[in-house]
Amino acid sequence: MTASLRPLAPEALTEAQAAEELAALAAEIAHHDRLYHEKDAPEVSDAEYDLLVRRNRAIEVLFPDLIRPDSPSTRVGSAVAEGFAKSRHLAPMLSLDNAFDEADFAEFAARIRRFLSLAEDAPLDFIAEPKIDGLSVNLLYERGRFVKGATRGDGIEGEDITPNLLTLKDLPRELEAPFPDLIEIRGEVFMDRADFLAFRAEQEHALAEREARKERGEKLGPAVTVPVNPRNAAAGSLRQLDSSITASRPLKLFAYAMGQASEVPADTHEHWLDLLRRWKFTVNPLSTPITDAAEFQRKMASERAALAYDIDGVVYKLNRLDWQARLGFVGRAPRWAIAWKFPAEQARTRLLDIEVQVGRTGALTPRAVMAPVFVGGVTVTHATLHNEDEIARKDIRIGDTITLQRAGDVIPQVVGVVDADRPDRGPPYVFPTVCPACGSHAVRENDDVVRRCTGGLICPAQTVERLKHFCSRGAMDIEGMGEENVILFHEQGLVKSPADIFRLQEHAERIRQWEGWGKGAKTESKRVTNLLAAIEARRRVPLERFLFALGIRRIGAQNAKLLARHYHSIAQLRARMIDARVIGSDAREELGSIQGIGPAIATELVEFFAEQHNLDALDDLLRYVTPEDVPEAGETDSPFSGRTLVFTGTLETLSRAEAEAKAEALRAKVTKSVSKKTDFVVVGADAGSKAAKAAELGVRVLSEAEFREMAGFPPA
Ligand code: IVH
């Protein structure tokens, strides 16, 4: 990497730029570490090396959420050679929905009652557990022995940190019988506040010593990091490649949840916690059955400051495990638990500027640039201002003193202006009506709160944002095509559309002439080869990733998955979307009937496929990339697998939500309207026209009892 590509002050970086640069710095610093520690042949002076480490540190302090697992700050010297092995969890590690007040909690409880078809005032037993902001880990026990431990990672797959976990004294090596043959136990690794402060002081001291050695021109040794909060300290400590370092850190573990188990060894969460205690895990002593969540919440809020560790809320879990099983999950969170967060911490600072960024759909988003301020555990310099109406409504002006808040890892938000009545206040903020990136008109359509650039394909910001999205991790995941390179190739005129990425090899010789791309040091010569290999590796991708990568508005990863499962192939999807242009057509009805695809999403899709330039870009791309077909769900696993179901009328023993969730779990497609493609119509009481239509089309009709039986519910 050359210095000219790293011109921005850390404060001026966007989140995406920061992520990109942290990745580049991690690689670059690792490279120098290797030369220094293993080959004893440094390429750069200590001062230059230090500059990199400090730059990395400065960015990490501003963007703590972006700190990488392989961050140079959490590595020590020569241990950087290899990373951690990946480890797939047997049951996914999910997250929790949040509640912020009594109404949220009441809605959570009401949803449970509705789902389980309980009376509105039916009692529900909950267990409350303080929510510690540490790192969740997954511990696998086989025949009662601890065999493997991993970080949460993306929830599906984490990093195998077994040796590090073995250094925790709260972790039992063996479980006392009886135990299930196989069980995953989940908990939180954290650092007490006092331990964190002591550890931070130690690190600060070590850093000062290092600075002094530098002054004296002595050998520096490994980089030293100063953690910004207990969570950060725990994360850094747990991700050491040298477990003797983890052993020296004061880490603790509270166990709280069960992942996969060969048999479920308890009937309530309370009994599960008893079992954990019997197995010699530490369960948070404040975990307790509650009758009044609001009261418990108030109690914890007042005791919070006196606790040995930081908590950011309380987790409430439904006690009955059979009910938990029935409720299951929606998206990435269980229906049976919620994290009720404490109110966000607030702080004041000065608004230095308002920046307007252009997103990939042309949306102009204002962002506050502020004097650095410590809030919610980190120092922040940027906050979201949402949109122009928000700025006007709160009358936020440059130079104002503003209140901002940050809850957990949410982006800081500007709450309002503190000194609006001061005499020397500047003029009201005028939102730009032209795109800051391309100068095209930026307009607001109908009742849209968002102002959008009309530059479309000529707007470099949109093109670059779209290309960045296309290459990003959740999308095509092309390694080496991060923000910096996307911008570079775009500026050089080599990449204007996604398909151009797959034509980059035609320009390989030209790229190799560029500074840092093969002309200079030996290490650079592989850069082009590696990049082209990474691109080549993406010529086949899952259909859902491909759809997500197209960057169609409102088609996030979740919707892309729904579409992929429904249409099975890109050819089918392309054809059906074109047919769906006609409102009332079969194809349009079909699109509208996909569970989870609402009318707004349907419109975006149809509009995307109605534009010839989008079809051209798509077809051009399809010359290089093959999206993998999604096979029809197997026909044999359940009577509903791969079939289309419609529910109509009122079910008596099941809520509609539970019935639909069950059908989907059995791999059925649940749709709203009856057509020739419907396989079953489940008819409850007072069924109307849908039952009649089913009869007319000869679609098989099921009673509630028949559905229960076929879906494997016990008889009501
Ligand atoms: S239960 C499906 N219990 O909160 C159940 N999580 O937002 C998911 N956490 O990743 C987790 N204390 O790191 C659970 N007593 C507790 C917890 C807890 C802290 C964290 C955990 C998880 C996150 C979910």
Side-chain angles (χ1 to χ4, degrees):
M1 160 152 353
T2 58
S4 64
L5 290 175
R6 202 188 286 139
L8 294 173
E11 294 75 28
L13 294 172
T14 64
E15 196 154 318
Q17 286 168 332
E20 174 74 6
E21 190 171 340
L22 286 177
L25 282 165
E28 191 171 359
I29 293 170
H31 166 72
H32 294 310
D33 279 342
R34 235 174 353 255
L35 293 176
Y36 183 92
H37 292 282
E38 288 169 25
K39 307 228 156 64
D40 244 349
E43 244 170 25
V44 292
S45 69
D46 280 355
E48 282 171 283
Y49 175 85
D50 257 31
L51 222 58
L52 295 175
V53 171
R54 242 187 287 150
R55 170 90 182 164
N56 184 72
R57 179 81 210 120
I59 300 175
E60 285 183 344
V61 169
L62 290 173
F63 299 91
D65 292 341
L66 298 180
I67 296 176
R68 300 167 54 87
D70 64 345
S71 159
S73 323
T74 57
R75 276 190 318 231
V76 173
S78 58
V80 296
E82 74 266 43
F84 294 104
K86 291 259 180 270
S87 170
R88 206 178 161 84
H89 311 306
L90 299 178
M93 291 180 78
L94 298 129
S95 55
L96 294 168
D97 278 341
N98 293 329
F100 294 98
D101 54 31
E102 268 189 82
D104 291 348
F105 188 87
E107 173 48 32
F108 158 68
R111 186 174 65 164
I112 291 179
R113 291 193 182 93
R114 281 198 302 274
F115 194 96
L116 297 174
S117 285
L118 301 173
E120 262 174 46
D121 54 354
L124 295 176
D125 292 332
F126 290 103
I127 306 294
E129 297 170 359
K131 186 170 188 296
I132 298 179
D133 194 15
L135 251 90
S136 50
V137 291
N138 188 24
L139 311 166
L140 177 64
Y141 287 79
E142 279 175 12
R143 281 180 222 90
R145 298 189 65 128
F146 173 64
V147 293
K148 187 164 83 167
T151 59
R152 178 175 184 276
D154 61 5
I156 304 295
E157 190 174 70
E159 287 167 330
D160 184 339
I161 50 162
T162 310
N164 295 355
L165 287 167
L166 281 168
T167 70
L168 299 187
K169 58 181 185 325
D170 294 334
L171 183 128
R173 310 293 170 98
E174 292 192 4
L175 309 179
E176 191 184 297
F179 42 71
D181 251 12
L182 176 153
I183 187 161
E184 287 180 321
I185 293 171
R186 273 98 192 246
E188 201 84 356
V189 173
F190 65 98
M191 209 181 265
D192 276 346
R193 206 178 302 126
D195 288 335
F196 161 69
L197 293 173
F199 172 58
R200 191 178 61 182
E202 255 174 53
Q203 294 296 94
E204 276 168 350
H205 181 71
L207 188 65
E209 298 245 282
R210 196 169 186 274
E211 293 292 310
R213 282 200 297 278
K214 196 170 76 188
E215 289 285 301
R216 295 195 296 269
E218 295 170 8
K219 206 169 169 174
L220 287 181
V224 173
T225 354
V226 180
V228 289
N229 55 33
R231 181 193 146 81
N232 184 225
S237 301
L238 210 48
R239 283 178 168 146
Q240 293 292 335
L241 285 158
D242 174 353
S243 57
S244 69
I245 296 171
T246 310
S248 73
R249 306 278 172 85
L251 296 175
K252 295 189 172 173
L253 167 72
F254 280 146
Y256 50 65
M258 192 186 336
Q260 184 85 328
S262 53
E263 81 202 75
V264 178
D267 54 358
T268 61
H269 187 63
E270 198 177 1
H271 289 154
W272 163 247
L273 295 182
D274 288 340
L275 193 55
L276 286 173
R277 287 188 203 98
R278 211 187 71 219
W279 284 336
K280 303 281 186 300
F281 283 98
T282 314
V283 171
N284 189 317
L286 299 169
S287 302
T288 180
I290 51 118
T291 43
D292 185 339
E295 186 193 299
F296 190 78
Q297 195 71 17
R298 278 191 292 276
K299 178 163 146 15
M300 289 317 294
S302 70
E303 291 174 10
R304 181 182 181 191
L307 296 179
Y309 41 80
D310 286 341
I311 63 173
D312 59 353
V314 180
V315 183
Y316 295 90
K317 300 177 180 172
L318 190 65
N319 198 22
R320 277 180 62 163
L321 299 186
D322 59 336
W323 282 359
Q324 287 191 5
R326 272 175 67 191
L327 285 156
F329 296 85
V330 55
R332 300 174 66 79
R335 288 192 187 86
W336 43 266
I338 200 153
W340 186 343
K341 297 288 196 70
F342 296 128
E345 208 186 301
Q346 296 198 336
R348 285 178 178 190
T349 187
R350 234 169 110 81
L351 178 65
L352 304 176
D353 197 7
I354 295 176
E355 273 175 11
V356 176
Q357 298 177 314
V358 188
R360 88 184 129 82
T361 57
L364 267 47
T365 335
R367 199 164 82 124
V369 183
M370 311 168 301
V373 56
F374 190 78
V375 59
V378 288
T379 303
V380 297
T381 50
H382 292 90
T384 174
L385 286 166
H386 300 291
N387 55 56
E388 71 181 285
D389 289 355
E390 277 288 297
I391 302 179
R393 196 171 60 75
K394 295 177 179 158
D395 188 18
I396 296 168
R397 307 184 189 185
I398 293 167
D400 286 350
T401 301
I402 53 176
T403 306
L404 77 157
Q405 69 177 26
R406 183 173 179 275
D409 41 8
V410 181
I411 306 163
Q413 308 193 343
V414 177
V415 181
V417 177
V418 184
D419 55 354
D421 50 3
R422 68 182 201 285
D424 57 340
R425 203 174 178 215
Y429 178 73
V430 182
F431 202 87
T433 51
V434 295
C435 172
C438 71
S440 302
H441 286 294
V443 299
R444 289 175 66 169
E445 266 171 31
N446 308 327
D447 46 2
D448 199 351
V449 290
V450 176
R451 189 174 285 279
R452 283 175 207 281
C453 162
T454 54
L457 293 176
I458 68 129
C459 176
Q462 287 183 59
T463 313
V464 166
E465 289 302 316
R466 277 200 211 118
L467 288 167
K468 264 161 53 184
H469 169 79
F470 181 82
C471 300
S472 68
R473 255 246 266 153
M476 295 291 282
D477 190 18
I478 303 178
E479 205 169 326
M481 281 299 273
E483 167 156 22
E484 205 165 90
N485 286 343
V486 168
I487 293 174
L488 178 70
F489 291 129
H490 184 259
E491 272 173 8
Q492 296 294 324
L494 298 186
V495 174
K496 295 200 187 79
S497 75
D500 286 337
I501 295 168
F502 292 88
R503 287 188 280 259
L504 266 179
Q505 59 194 18
E506 296 163 20
H507 308 285
E509 281 325 303
R510 182 170 152 203
I511 299 168
R512 284 202 174 90
Q513 300 307 308
W514 296 349
E515 168 105 42
W517 283 86
K519 249 177 60 181
K522 232 194 345 223
T523 47
E524 291 171 352
S525 61
K526 279 206 156 155
R527 203 166 166 191
V528 177
T529 317
N530 290 347
L531 177 64
L532 294 177
I535 294 169
E536 201 56 25
R538 292 297 178 265
R539 278 169 160 276
R540 285 190 77 86
V541 287
L543 176 58
E544 61 186 72
R545 270 180 180 270
F546 182 82
L547 290 176
F548 174 60
L550 293 179
I552 303 167
R553 252 178 95 192
R554 295 182 205 260
I555 306 301
Q558 198 64 30
N559 289 337
K561 188 180 279 178
L562 294 175
L563 293 168
R565 279 207 209 130
H566 187 93
Y567 291 101
H568 305 294
S569 72
I570 188 68
Q572 171 83 355
L573 179 105
R574 186 187 185 285
R576 296 303 279 168
M577 289 306 110
I578 290 171
D579 292 347
R581 269 187 255 181
V582 182
I583 298 200
S585 63
D586 245 24
R588 185 62 173 252
E589 295 276 293
E590 178 184 353
L591 177 59
S593 75
I594 303 173
Q595 185 88 1
I597 302 288
I601 301 171
T603 307
E604 291 294 348
L605 272 164
V606 170
E607 282 178 359
F608 179 89
F609 286 91
E611 294 280 346
Q612 191 56 43
H613 66 87
N614 286 334
L615 291 178
D616 291 345
L618 174 65
D619 293 340
D620 191 14
L621 184 58
L622 288 172
R623 293 165 53 204
Y624 306 96
V625 180
T626 312
E628 290 159 1
D629 290 356
V630 181
E632 299 270 352
E635 299 277 315
T636 48
D637 16 342
S638 97
F640 298 125
S641 177
R643 304 302 179 87
T644 304
L645 242 77
V646 174
F647 289 92
T648 177
T650 315
L651 302 181
E652 266 144 25
T653 65
L654 294 168
S655 69
R656 179 67 76 82
E658 183 171 11
E660 290 185 357
K662 181 72 172 189
E664 278 170 356
L666 294 171
R667 315 196 57 181
K669 262 183 236 161
V670 178
T671 64
K672 287 176 232 133
S673 56
V674 180
S675 74
K676 284 176 296 198
K677 297 207 167 149
T678 312
D679 294 296
F680 299 99
V681 176
V682 180
V683 179
D686 303 323
S689 62
K690 289 183 193 174
K693 179 131 189 227
E696 183 190 315
L697 292 172
V699 172
R700 185 161 166 203
V701 173
L702 300 178
S703 68
E704 181 170 351
E706 285 171 313
F707 171 74
R708 282 189 72 103
E709 197 193 324
M710 287 170 74
F713 281 105

